[in-house]
Short mmCIF file of all heavy atoms in Angstrom, two decimals:
data_model
loop_
_atom_site.label_atom_id
_atom_site.label_comp_id
_atom_site.label_asym_id
_atom_site.label_seq_id
_atom_site.Cartn_x
_atom_site.Cartn_y
_atom_site.Cartn_z
N CYS A 1 -209.32 -88.98 186.34
CA CYS A 1 -208.84 -90.37 186.83
C CYS A 1 -208.06 -91.04 185.77
O CYS A 1 -208.05 -90.69 184.54
CB CYS A 1 -210.15 -91.21 187.08
SG CYS A 1 -210.96 -91.74 185.64
N ALA A 2 -207.28 -91.96 186.04
CA ALA A 2 -206.54 -92.80 185.21
C ALA A 2 -207.20 -94.05 184.88
O ALA A 2 -207.21 -95.01 185.64
CB ALA A 2 -205.14 -93.01 185.77
N SER A 3 -207.90 -94.12 183.73
CA SER A 3 -208.68 -95.26 183.39
C SER A 3 -207.74 -96.31 182.77
O SER A 3 -206.90 -96.10 182.03
CB SER A 3 -209.72 -94.89 182.29
OG SER A 3 -210.34 -96.06 181.80
N PRO A 4 -208.01 -97.58 183.33
CA PRO A 4 -207.23 -98.73 182.81
C PRO A 4 -207.68 -99.22 181.43
O PRO A 4 -207.07 -100.02 180.74
CB PRO A 4 -207.39 -99.75 183.83
CG PRO A 4 -208.74 -99.53 184.38
CD PRO A 4 -208.88 -98.03 184.37
N LEU A 5 -208.73 -98.56 180.91
CA LEU A 5 -209.26 -99.05 179.62
C LEU A 5 -208.94 -97.99 178.54
O LEU A 5 -209.02 -96.82 178.72
CB LEU A 5 -210.84 -99.15 179.65
CG LEU A 5 -211.36 -100.12 180.71
CD1 LEU A 5 -212.89 -100.06 180.73
CD2 LEU A 5 -210.97 -101.55 180.36
N PRO A 6 -208.50 -98.43 177.41
CA PRO A 6 -208.25 -97.52 176.32
C PRO A 6 -209.49 -96.75 175.92
O PRO A 6 -210.57 -97.31 175.82
CB PRO A 6 -207.78 -98.47 175.12
CG PRO A 6 -207.79 -99.79 175.53
CD PRO A 6 -208.45 -99.81 176.97
N ARG A 7 -209.30 -95.42 175.80
CA ARG A 7 -210.40 -94.56 175.37
C ARG A 7 -211.53 -94.42 176.26
O ARG A 7 -212.62 -93.88 175.91
CB ARG A 7 -210.86 -94.90 173.94
CG ARG A 7 -209.84 -94.91 172.85
CD ARG A 7 -210.38 -95.16 171.61
NE ARG A 7 -211.21 -96.31 171.53
CZ ARG A 7 -211.55 -97.02 170.60
NH1 ARG A 7 -211.19 -96.60 169.33
NH2 ARG A 7 -212.29 -98.03 170.60
N ALA A 8 -211.54 -94.98 177.47
CA ALA A 8 -212.56 -94.82 178.45
C ALA A 8 -212.46 -93.44 178.99
O ALA A 8 -211.48 -92.96 179.61
CB ALA A 8 -212.40 -95.86 179.57
N ARG A 9 -213.50 -92.57 178.80
CA ARG A 9 -213.53 -91.21 179.22
C ARG A 9 -214.10 -91.08 180.62
O ARG A 9 -213.65 -90.06 181.34
CB ARG A 9 -214.33 -90.46 178.28
CG ARG A 9 -213.63 -90.29 177.00
CD ARG A 9 -214.47 -89.39 175.98
NE ARG A 9 -213.85 -88.94 174.82
CZ ARG A 9 -213.53 -89.56 173.76
NH1 ARG A 9 -213.71 -90.86 173.71
NH2 ARG A 9 -212.88 -89.07 172.74
N CYS A 10 -214.92 -91.81 181.03
CA CYS A 10 -215.64 -91.54 182.34
C CYS A 10 -215.04 -92.54 183.45
O CYS A 10 -214.92 -93.65 183.19
CB CYS A 10 -217.11 -91.72 182.21
SG CYS A 10 -217.83 -90.51 181.10
N CYS A 11 -214.76 -91.92 184.56
CA CYS A 11 -214.29 -92.64 185.76
C CYS A 11 -215.49 -93.31 186.49
O CYS A 11 -216.61 -93.00 186.15
CB CYS A 11 -213.61 -91.63 186.72
SG CYS A 11 -212.18 -90.98 185.94
N THR A 12 -215.20 -94.16 187.42
CA THR A 12 -216.15 -94.70 188.24
C THR A 12 -216.95 -93.56 188.98
O THR A 12 -216.31 -92.54 189.25
CB THR A 12 -215.54 -95.64 189.26
OG1 THR A 12 -214.63 -95.04 189.97
CG2 THR A 12 -215.01 -96.89 188.56
N GLY A 13 -218.16 -93.67 189.27
CA GLY A 13 -218.98 -92.71 189.93
C GLY A 13 -219.64 -91.70 188.92
O GLY A 13 -220.46 -90.93 189.25
N THR A 14 -219.26 -91.84 187.64
CA THR A 14 -219.90 -91.00 186.59
C THR A 14 -220.27 -91.87 185.46
O THR A 14 -219.99 -93.04 185.36
CB THR A 14 -218.77 -90.04 186.12
OG1 THR A 14 -217.74 -90.76 185.44
CG2 THR A 14 -218.21 -89.20 187.25
N TYR A 15 -221.01 -91.27 184.51
CA TYR A 15 -221.43 -91.99 183.27
C TYR A 15 -221.44 -90.99 182.17
O TYR A 15 -221.47 -89.78 182.25
CB TYR A 15 -222.86 -92.57 183.64
CG TYR A 15 -224.00 -91.54 183.62
CD1 TYR A 15 -224.73 -91.21 182.58
CD2 TYR A 15 -224.17 -90.80 184.76
CE1 TYR A 15 -225.78 -90.31 182.62
CE2 TYR A 15 -225.16 -89.85 184.93
CZ TYR A 15 -226.04 -89.62 183.80
OH TYR A 15 -227.00 -88.74 183.97
N SER A 16 -221.41 -91.65 180.94
CA SER A 16 -221.47 -90.90 179.71
C SER A 16 -222.91 -90.93 179.16
O SER A 16 -223.47 -91.99 179.15
CB SER A 16 -220.48 -91.49 178.69
OG SER A 16 -220.73 -90.90 177.46
N LYS A 17 -223.38 -89.70 178.68
CA LYS A 17 -224.75 -89.76 178.28
C LYS A 17 -224.94 -90.36 176.84
O LYS A 17 -226.13 -90.56 176.45
CB LYS A 17 -225.28 -88.41 178.22
CG LYS A 17 -225.44 -87.83 179.72
CD LYS A 17 -226.20 -86.51 179.73
CE LYS A 17 -226.42 -86.18 181.20
NZ LYS A 17 -227.20 -84.94 181.29
N GLY A 18 -223.89 -90.72 176.21
CA GLY A 18 -223.99 -91.29 174.90
C GLY A 18 -222.70 -91.74 174.25
O GLY A 18 -221.62 -91.25 174.71
N PRO A 19 -222.68 -92.52 173.24
CA PRO A 19 -221.43 -93.00 172.61
C PRO A 19 -220.71 -91.73 172.00
O PRO A 19 -221.29 -90.89 171.49
CB PRO A 19 -221.95 -93.83 171.46
CG PRO A 19 -223.40 -94.13 171.64
CD PRO A 19 -223.91 -93.09 172.65
N GLY A 20 -219.41 -91.66 172.22
CA GLY A 20 -218.61 -90.58 171.79
C GLY A 20 -218.66 -89.33 172.61
O GLY A 20 -218.10 -88.39 172.22
N SER A 21 -219.64 -89.28 173.63
CA SER A 21 -219.74 -88.16 174.46
C SER A 21 -218.45 -87.86 175.28
O SER A 21 -217.89 -88.74 176.00
CB SER A 21 -220.92 -88.22 175.30
OG SER A 21 -220.98 -87.15 176.22
N ALA A 22 -217.98 -86.61 175.27
CA ALA A 22 -216.73 -86.31 176.02
C ALA A 22 -217.22 -85.90 177.46
O ALA A 22 -216.29 -85.72 178.24
CB ALA A 22 -215.98 -85.27 175.32
N LEU A 23 -218.50 -85.72 177.65
CA LEU A 23 -218.94 -85.18 178.92
C LEU A 23 -219.29 -86.32 179.90
O LEU A 23 -220.17 -87.16 179.50
CB LEU A 23 -220.24 -84.28 178.68
CG LEU A 23 -220.84 -83.68 180.00
CD1 LEU A 23 -219.88 -82.68 180.63
CD2 LEU A 23 -222.09 -82.92 179.54
N CYS A 24 -218.76 -86.31 181.06
CA CYS A 24 -219.16 -87.35 182.08
C CYS A 24 -219.97 -86.60 183.13
O CYS A 24 -219.58 -85.49 183.61
CB CYS A 24 -217.86 -87.87 182.68
SG CYS A 24 -216.85 -88.76 181.47
N THR A 25 -221.02 -87.23 183.65
CA THR A 25 -221.90 -86.77 184.62
C THR A 25 -221.89 -87.60 185.84
O THR A 25 -221.80 -88.80 185.74
CB THR A 25 -223.34 -86.68 183.99
OG1 THR A 25 -223.32 -86.05 182.86
CG2 THR A 25 -224.40 -86.07 184.91
N SER A 26 -221.81 -86.90 186.98
CA SER A 26 -221.77 -87.68 188.28
C SER A 26 -223.18 -88.44 188.43
O SER A 26 -224.26 -87.83 188.17
CB SER A 26 -221.66 -86.72 189.44
OG SER A 26 -220.39 -86.22 189.45
N CYS A 27 -223.11 -89.60 188.95
CA CYS A 27 -224.25 -90.37 189.19
C CYS A 27 -225.10 -89.61 190.24
O CYS A 27 -224.48 -89.10 191.20
CB CYS A 27 -223.98 -91.80 189.71
SG CYS A 27 -223.31 -92.83 188.34
N PRO A 28 -226.45 -89.54 190.17
CA PRO A 28 -227.23 -88.91 191.16
C PRO A 28 -227.22 -89.71 192.53
O PRO A 28 -226.88 -90.95 192.46
CB PRO A 28 -228.60 -88.82 190.60
CG PRO A 28 -228.68 -89.84 189.49
CD PRO A 28 -227.24 -90.05 189.06
N ARG A 29 -227.64 -89.04 193.55
CA ARG A 29 -227.90 -89.72 194.88
C ARG A 29 -228.78 -90.93 194.67
O ARG A 29 -229.69 -90.89 193.91
CB ARG A 29 -228.38 -88.85 195.87
CG ARG A 29 -227.43 -87.78 196.28
CD ARG A 29 -228.03 -86.65 197.24
NE ARG A 29 -229.18 -87.21 197.94
CZ ARG A 29 -229.43 -86.78 199.19
NH1 ARG A 29 -228.68 -85.88 199.78
NH2 ARG A 29 -230.46 -87.36 199.80
N GLY A 30 -228.48 -92.07 195.43
CA GLY A 30 -229.28 -93.27 195.34
C GLY A 30 -228.85 -94.12 194.27
O GLY A 30 -229.36 -95.23 194.06
N THR A 31 -227.87 -93.77 193.50
CA THR A 31 -227.25 -94.61 192.41
C THR A 31 -225.71 -94.67 192.60
O THR A 31 -225.16 -93.90 193.26
CB THR A 31 -227.71 -94.12 191.13
OG1 THR A 31 -227.02 -92.90 190.79
CG2 THR A 31 -229.23 -93.92 190.90
N PHE A 32 -225.10 -95.63 191.71
CA PHE A 32 -223.80 -95.68 191.79
C PHE A 32 -223.28 -96.18 190.30
O PHE A 32 -224.08 -96.64 189.57
CB PHE A 32 -223.19 -96.71 192.85
CG PHE A 32 -223.53 -98.12 192.52
CD1 PHE A 32 -222.57 -99.02 192.10
CD2 PHE A 32 -224.83 -98.72 192.64
CE1 PHE A 32 -222.87 -100.43 191.80
CE2 PHE A 32 -225.16 -100.08 192.48
CZ PHE A 32 -224.20 -100.84 191.97
N GLN A 33 -221.98 -96.11 190.14
CA GLN A 33 -221.33 -96.66 188.89
C GLN A 33 -219.99 -97.14 189.28
O GLN A 33 -219.03 -96.34 189.61
CB GLN A 33 -221.26 -95.59 187.77
CG GLN A 33 -220.60 -96.00 186.48
CD GLN A 33 -221.07 -97.38 185.94
OE1 GLN A 33 -220.41 -98.36 186.23
NE2 GLN A 33 -222.18 -97.21 185.25
N ASN A 34 -219.71 -98.51 189.15
CA ASN A 34 -218.54 -99.00 189.60
C ASN A 34 -217.54 -99.51 188.47
O ASN A 34 -216.61 -100.24 188.70
CB ASN A 34 -218.70 -100.20 190.62
CG ASN A 34 -219.53 -101.36 189.93
OD1 ASN A 34 -219.98 -101.17 188.87
ND2 ASN A 34 -219.73 -102.35 190.79
N GLN A 35 -217.88 -99.05 187.26
CA GLN A 35 -217.07 -99.42 186.09
C GLN A 35 -216.60 -98.25 185.35
O GLN A 35 -217.25 -97.12 185.33
CB GLN A 35 -217.83 -100.30 185.16
CG GLN A 35 -218.35 -101.57 185.77
CD GLN A 35 -219.24 -102.39 184.76
OE1 GLN A 35 -219.85 -101.88 183.95
NE2 GLN A 35 -219.28 -103.63 185.10
N PHE A 36 -215.45 -98.31 184.72
CA PHE A 36 -214.92 -97.19 183.88
C PHE A 36 -215.82 -97.19 182.63
O PHE A 36 -216.24 -98.21 182.21
CB PHE A 36 -213.46 -97.43 183.57
CG PHE A 36 -212.59 -97.10 184.69
CD1 PHE A 36 -212.18 -98.04 185.56
CD2 PHE A 36 -212.20 -95.75 184.86
CE1 PHE A 36 -211.25 -97.70 186.63
CE2 PHE A 36 -211.32 -95.38 185.97
CZ PHE A 36 -210.88 -96.42 186.82
N ALA A 37 -216.05 -96.03 182.09
CA ALA A 37 -216.76 -95.85 180.80
C ALA A 37 -218.18 -96.39 180.94
O ALA A 37 -218.76 -96.79 179.98
CB ALA A 37 -216.00 -96.61 179.65
N GLY A 38 -218.79 -96.27 182.05
CA GLY A 38 -220.16 -96.69 182.22
C GLY A 38 -221.15 -95.76 181.50
O GLY A 38 -220.87 -94.49 181.33
N ARG A 39 -222.18 -96.30 181.07
CA ARG A 39 -223.22 -95.49 180.36
C ARG A 39 -224.48 -95.27 181.19
O ARG A 39 -225.19 -94.41 180.73
CB ARG A 39 -223.57 -96.17 179.03
CG ARG A 39 -222.36 -96.20 178.08
CD ARG A 39 -222.79 -95.93 176.70
NE ARG A 39 -221.62 -95.90 175.82
CZ ARG A 39 -221.60 -96.44 174.67
NH1 ARG A 39 -222.71 -96.90 174.12
NH2 ARG A 39 -220.48 -96.39 174.00
N VAL A 40 -224.63 -95.93 182.25
CA VAL A 40 -225.88 -95.77 183.07
C VAL A 40 -225.36 -95.93 184.50
O VAL A 40 -224.42 -96.61 184.84
CB VAL A 40 -226.97 -96.77 182.84
CG1 VAL A 40 -227.50 -96.52 181.35
CG2 VAL A 40 -226.51 -98.23 183.02
N CYS A 41 -226.12 -95.30 185.44
CA CYS A 41 -225.82 -95.47 186.84
C CYS A 41 -226.82 -96.57 187.37
O CYS A 41 -227.90 -96.64 186.95
CB CYS A 41 -226.08 -94.17 187.62
SG CYS A 41 -224.86 -92.84 187.12
N LYS A 42 -226.46 -97.34 188.24
CA LYS A 42 -227.17 -98.48 188.77
C LYS A 42 -227.81 -98.04 190.11
O LYS A 42 -227.16 -97.23 190.88
CB LYS A 42 -226.33 -99.60 189.00
CG LYS A 42 -225.49 -100.13 187.78
CD LYS A 42 -224.42 -101.07 188.16
CE LYS A 42 -223.41 -101.25 187.03
NZ LYS A 42 -222.28 -101.94 187.41
N PRO A 43 -229.05 -98.50 190.41
CA PRO A 43 -229.74 -98.12 191.62
C PRO A 43 -229.00 -98.79 192.86
O PRO A 43 -228.58 -99.98 192.73
CB PRO A 43 -231.11 -98.55 191.50
CG PRO A 43 -231.06 -99.56 190.43
CD PRO A 43 -229.98 -99.26 189.55
N CYS A 44 -228.87 -98.06 193.94
CA CYS A 44 -228.41 -98.72 195.16
C CYS A 44 -229.43 -99.80 195.49
O CYS A 44 -230.64 -99.61 195.58
CB CYS A 44 -228.29 -97.73 196.34
SG CYS A 44 -226.99 -96.60 196.07
N PRO A 45 -228.98 -101.03 195.79
CA PRO A 45 -229.92 -102.11 196.13
C PRO A 45 -230.39 -102.04 197.50
O PRO A 45 -229.96 -101.26 198.35
CB PRO A 45 -229.01 -103.35 195.99
CG PRO A 45 -227.65 -102.88 196.27
CD PRO A 45 -227.61 -101.49 195.70
N PRO A 46 -231.48 -102.81 197.78
CA PRO A 46 -232.05 -102.89 199.15
C PRO A 46 -230.84 -103.21 200.13
O PRO A 46 -229.97 -103.96 199.83
CB PRO A 46 -233.07 -104.02 199.12
CG PRO A 46 -233.54 -103.98 197.70
CD PRO A 46 -232.27 -103.63 196.86
N GLY A 47 -230.95 -102.59 201.29
CA GLY A 47 -229.96 -102.85 202.38
C GLY A 47 -228.79 -101.86 202.23
O GLY A 47 -227.84 -101.91 202.96
N GLN A 48 -228.82 -100.88 201.19
CA GLN A 48 -227.83 -99.97 201.01
C GLN A 48 -228.41 -98.65 200.58
O GLN A 48 -229.59 -98.48 200.37
CB GLN A 48 -226.90 -100.38 199.87
CG GLN A 48 -226.21 -101.77 200.13
CD GLN A 48 -225.28 -102.20 198.95
OE1 GLN A 48 -224.82 -101.34 198.14
NE2 GLN A 48 -225.02 -103.51 198.86
N TYR A 49 -227.60 -97.57 200.70
CA TYR A 49 -228.11 -96.17 200.32
C TYR A 49 -226.95 -95.43 199.70
O TYR A 49 -225.76 -95.65 199.90
CB TYR A 49 -228.70 -95.50 201.56
CG TYR A 49 -227.57 -95.31 202.62
CD1 TYR A 49 -226.88 -94.04 202.83
CD2 TYR A 49 -227.21 -96.25 203.56
CE1 TYR A 49 -225.93 -93.85 203.73
CE2 TYR A 49 -226.34 -96.01 204.52
CZ TYR A 49 -225.63 -94.84 204.57
OH TYR A 49 -224.70 -94.55 205.54
N GLY A 50 -227.27 -94.41 198.92
CA GLY A 50 -226.32 -93.54 198.29
C GLY A 50 -226.62 -92.09 198.60
O GLY A 50 -227.41 -91.44 198.12
N ASN A 51 -225.80 -91.66 199.58
CA ASN A 51 -226.11 -90.22 200.17
C ASN A 51 -225.40 -89.14 199.57
O ASN A 51 -225.39 -87.99 199.96
CB ASN A 51 -225.91 -90.24 201.64
CG ASN A 51 -224.43 -90.56 202.04
OD1 ASN A 51 -223.69 -91.08 201.25
ND2 ASN A 51 -223.98 -90.13 203.26
N ALA A 52 -224.61 -89.42 198.38
CA ALA A 52 -223.89 -88.39 197.75
C ALA A 52 -223.90 -88.63 196.19
O ALA A 52 -224.27 -89.81 195.71
CB ALA A 52 -222.46 -88.34 198.15
N ARG A 53 -223.63 -87.64 195.43
CA ARG A 53 -223.46 -87.78 193.98
C ARG A 53 -222.16 -88.37 193.69
O ARG A 53 -221.24 -88.22 194.42
CB ARG A 53 -223.59 -86.38 193.33
CG ARG A 53 -225.01 -85.84 193.48
CD ARG A 53 -225.16 -84.55 192.80
NE ARG A 53 -224.89 -84.80 191.31
CZ ARG A 53 -224.52 -83.87 190.50
NH1 ARG A 53 -224.31 -82.59 190.81
NH2 ARG A 53 -224.30 -84.22 189.19
N GLY A 54 -222.02 -89.16 192.60
CA GLY A 54 -220.75 -89.63 192.07
C GLY A 54 -220.20 -90.81 192.89
O GLY A 54 -219.02 -91.02 192.97
N MET A 55 -221.06 -91.57 193.45
CA MET A 55 -220.67 -92.76 194.25
C MET A 55 -220.16 -93.99 193.36
O MET A 55 -220.79 -94.30 192.25
CB MET A 55 -221.72 -93.26 195.18
CG MET A 55 -222.05 -92.10 196.22
SD MET A 55 -223.15 -92.67 197.53
CE MET A 55 -222.01 -93.67 198.51
N ARG A 56 -219.10 -94.58 193.76
CA ARG A 56 -218.56 -95.81 193.09
C ARG A 56 -219.24 -97.03 193.71
O ARG A 56 -219.39 -98.03 192.95
CB ARG A 56 -217.08 -95.85 193.21
CG ARG A 56 -216.37 -94.78 192.46
CD ARG A 56 -214.84 -94.89 192.60
NE ARG A 56 -214.57 -94.41 194.05
CZ ARG A 56 -213.44 -93.97 194.39
NH1 ARG A 56 -212.40 -94.03 193.55
NH2 ARG A 56 -213.23 -93.46 195.61
N VAL A 57 -219.61 -97.03 194.92
CA VAL A 57 -220.31 -98.05 195.65
C VAL A 57 -221.30 -97.43 196.54
O VAL A 57 -221.12 -96.24 196.94
CB VAL A 57 -219.41 -99.07 196.34
CG1 VAL A 57 -218.40 -99.78 195.39
CG2 VAL A 57 -218.60 -98.27 197.40
N CYS A 58 -222.23 -98.14 196.91
CA CYS A 58 -223.28 -97.63 197.81
C CYS A 58 -222.87 -97.93 199.24
O CYS A 58 -222.09 -98.96 199.50
CB CYS A 58 -224.71 -98.21 197.52
SG CYS A 58 -225.35 -97.77 195.94
N ASN A 59 -223.41 -97.21 200.20
CA ASN A 59 -223.11 -97.51 201.64
C ASN A 59 -224.03 -98.66 202.14
O ASN A 59 -225.16 -98.60 201.77
CB ASN A 59 -223.34 -96.19 202.45
CG ASN A 59 -222.49 -95.15 202.14
OD1 ASN A 59 -221.29 -95.15 201.96
ND2 ASN A 59 -223.10 -93.88 201.75
N VAL A 60 -223.48 -99.49 202.94
CA VAL A 60 -224.25 -100.59 203.47
C VAL A 60 -224.89 -100.05 204.77
O VAL A 60 -224.24 -99.37 205.54
CB VAL A 60 -223.35 -101.72 203.80
CG1 VAL A 60 -224.16 -102.85 204.46
CG2 VAL A 60 -222.70 -102.24 202.52
N CYS A 61 -226.18 -100.40 204.98
CA CYS A 61 -226.89 -100.10 206.27
C CYS A 61 -226.06 -100.61 207.44
O CYS A 61 -225.48 -101.75 207.35
CB CYS A 61 -228.24 -100.64 206.29
SG CYS A 61 -229.54 -99.85 205.11
N PRO A 62 -226.12 -99.83 208.57
CA PRO A 62 -225.37 -100.35 209.71
C PRO A 62 -225.91 -101.71 210.25
O PRO A 62 -227.09 -102.14 209.93
CB PRO A 62 -225.73 -99.31 210.84
CG PRO A 62 -226.17 -98.11 209.97
CD PRO A 62 -226.73 -98.62 208.77
N ALA A 63 -225.21 -102.42 210.98
CA ALA A 63 -225.58 -103.81 211.51
C ALA A 63 -226.83 -103.63 212.20
O ALA A 63 -227.03 -102.88 212.99
CB ALA A 63 -224.36 -104.30 212.35
N GLY A 64 -227.66 -104.71 212.00
CA GLY A 64 -229.00 -104.67 212.74
C GLY A 64 -230.12 -103.84 212.01
O GLY A 64 -231.25 -103.81 212.57
N ARG A 65 -229.76 -103.11 210.97
CA ARG A 65 -230.71 -102.16 210.29
C ARG A 65 -230.74 -102.67 208.86
O ARG A 65 -229.85 -103.09 208.30
CB ARG A 65 -230.33 -100.78 210.51
CG ARG A 65 -230.42 -100.30 211.94
CD ARG A 65 -229.80 -98.96 212.11
NE ARG A 65 -230.55 -97.84 211.49
CZ ARG A 65 -230.15 -96.70 211.53
NH1 ARG A 65 -229.05 -96.21 212.07
NH2 ARG A 65 -230.91 -95.77 210.87
N TYR A 66 -232.01 -102.34 208.26
CA TYR A 66 -232.15 -102.81 206.86
C TYR A 66 -233.01 -101.83 206.18
O TYR A 66 -233.92 -101.21 206.75
CB TYR A 66 -232.73 -104.27 206.76
CG TYR A 66 -232.89 -104.67 205.40
CD1 TYR A 66 -231.74 -105.13 204.74
CD2 TYR A 66 -234.13 -104.82 204.78
CE1 TYR A 66 -231.91 -105.52 203.38
CE2 TYR A 66 -234.24 -105.22 203.45
CZ TYR A 66 -233.16 -105.70 202.79
OH TYR A 66 -233.28 -106.11 201.47
N ASN A 67 -232.71 -101.68 204.91
CA ASN A 67 -233.63 -100.76 204.10
C ASN A 67 -234.15 -101.61 202.91
O ASN A 67 -233.46 -102.15 202.15
CB ASN A 67 -232.69 -99.65 203.48
CG ASN A 67 -233.37 -98.93 202.29
OD1 ASN A 67 -234.56 -98.90 202.22
ND2 ASN A 67 -232.50 -98.44 201.45
N PRO A 68 -235.48 -101.83 202.83
CA PRO A 68 -236.03 -102.63 201.83
C PRO A 68 -236.23 -102.05 200.41
O PRO A 68 -236.44 -102.84 199.44
CB PRO A 68 -237.50 -103.00 202.42
CG PRO A 68 -237.85 -101.69 203.26
CD PRO A 68 -236.53 -101.31 203.84
N ALA A 69 -235.93 -100.80 200.32
CA ALA A 69 -236.16 -100.22 198.98
C ALA A 69 -234.86 -99.97 198.31
O ALA A 69 -233.72 -99.84 198.91
CB ALA A 69 -236.86 -98.77 199.21
N GLN A 70 -234.81 -99.90 196.99
CA GLN A 70 -233.71 -99.49 196.23
C GLN A 70 -233.72 -97.98 196.00
O GLN A 70 -234.62 -97.33 196.12
CB GLN A 70 -233.51 -100.35 194.93
CG GLN A 70 -234.64 -100.24 193.98
CD GLN A 70 -234.30 -101.04 192.74
OE1 GLN A 70 -233.45 -101.93 192.70
NE2 GLN A 70 -235.08 -100.89 191.75
N MET A 71 -232.56 -97.47 195.70
CA MET A 71 -232.35 -96.12 195.32
C MET A 71 -232.51 -95.06 196.56
O MET A 71 -232.83 -93.96 196.41
CB MET A 71 -233.24 -95.55 194.24
CG MET A 71 -232.80 -96.18 192.92
SD MET A 71 -233.64 -95.52 191.44
CE MET A 71 -233.02 -93.84 191.39
N SER A 72 -232.28 -95.66 197.79
CA SER A 72 -232.40 -94.82 198.98
C SER A 72 -231.19 -93.83 199.05
O SER A 72 -230.16 -94.18 198.59
CB SER A 72 -232.42 -95.75 200.18
OG SER A 72 -233.59 -96.35 200.23
N THR A 73 -231.45 -92.63 199.56
CA THR A 73 -230.46 -91.58 199.62
C THR A 73 -229.98 -91.15 201.00
O THR A 73 -229.19 -90.32 201.07
CB THR A 73 -230.98 -90.35 198.87
OG1 THR A 73 -232.23 -89.95 199.55
CG2 THR A 73 -231.39 -90.68 197.34
N SER A 74 -230.48 -91.88 201.97
CA SER A 74 -230.13 -91.53 203.32
C SER A 74 -230.05 -92.77 204.28
O SER A 74 -230.80 -93.68 204.15
CB SER A 74 -231.19 -90.52 203.90
OG SER A 74 -230.90 -90.29 205.24
N ILE A 75 -229.20 -92.62 205.22
CA ILE A 75 -229.06 -93.70 206.24
C ILE A 75 -230.31 -93.84 207.09
O ILE A 75 -230.63 -94.84 207.59
CB ILE A 75 -227.77 -93.39 207.18
CG1 ILE A 75 -227.50 -94.67 207.98
CG2 ILE A 75 -228.08 -92.22 207.96
CD1 ILE A 75 -226.23 -94.45 208.79
N ASP A 76 -231.18 -92.76 207.01
CA ASP A 76 -232.38 -92.73 207.70
C ASP A 76 -233.38 -93.78 207.16
O ASP A 76 -234.34 -94.20 207.83
CB ASP A 76 -233.10 -91.37 207.73
CG ASP A 76 -232.30 -90.34 208.49
OD1 ASP A 76 -231.57 -90.68 209.33
OD2 ASP A 76 -232.43 -89.13 208.09
N ALA A 77 -233.14 -94.20 205.87
CA ALA A 77 -233.96 -95.28 205.30
C ALA A 77 -233.74 -96.58 205.92
O ALA A 77 -234.49 -97.65 205.79
CB ALA A 77 -233.71 -95.29 203.77
N CYS A 78 -232.57 -96.74 206.54
CA CYS A 78 -232.12 -97.95 207.19
C CYS A 78 -232.79 -98.09 208.62
O CYS A 78 -232.59 -97.23 209.51
CB CYS A 78 -230.63 -98.08 207.45
SG CYS A 78 -229.70 -97.96 205.86
N LYS A 79 -233.73 -99.00 208.75
CA LYS A 79 -234.67 -99.06 209.97
C LYS A 79 -234.20 -100.40 210.75
O LYS A 79 -233.90 -101.33 210.28
CB LYS A 79 -236.07 -99.10 209.71
CG LYS A 79 -236.53 -97.88 208.88
CD LYS A 79 -236.62 -96.67 209.61
CE LYS A 79 -237.10 -95.54 208.75
NZ LYS A 79 -236.97 -94.30 209.28
#
C-alpha cells in the first residue's frame, strides 16, 4: 500500500507486532485496523462482524438484525 505517513510500514487491515518491526500481520477475524502503522487490531463492536482477516472496517449487521457481542466473525451472529 502507499501509506500517507512517513515511515509507516503497515497498511490498514494489518498491524505491526512491535516498534521497528518490518513485518505486518493481517488482523484476525472479528477485528479491524483502520489506521496506517497500527500496532493493535480493534475488536469489531456490537452490531458488526468481521468475517475475514485483514479488515479495515467491520461489516454492519443487516437492517433489522443486531449482534450484542463484540469480535463476532459471522453474519450469523446478527439476529
Side-chain angles (χ1 to χ4, degrees):
C1 73
S3 171
L5 303 174
R7 299 184 311 196
R9 288 181 166 73
C10 294
C11 297
T12 56
T14 67
Y15 68 101
S16 171
K17 291 189 175 187
S21 174
L23 179 65
C24 298
T25 304
S26 291
C27 291
R29 291 172 28 144
T31 67
F32 72 104
Q33 175 51 263
N34 60 355
Q35 298 175 337
F36 285 95
R39 295 222 177 139
V40 296
C41 296
K42 305 167 196 168
C44 291
Q48 300 181 21
Y49 64 97
N51 62 339
R53 294 182 60 201
M55 295 190 76
R56 291 178 285 199
V57 295
C58 298
N59 299 310
V60 177
C61 287
R65 295 169 69 184
Y66 183 74
N67 165 28
Q70 57 179 14
M71 290 186 71
S72 293
T73 60
S74 172
I75 193 172
D76 295 335
C78 303
K79 307 283 183 191

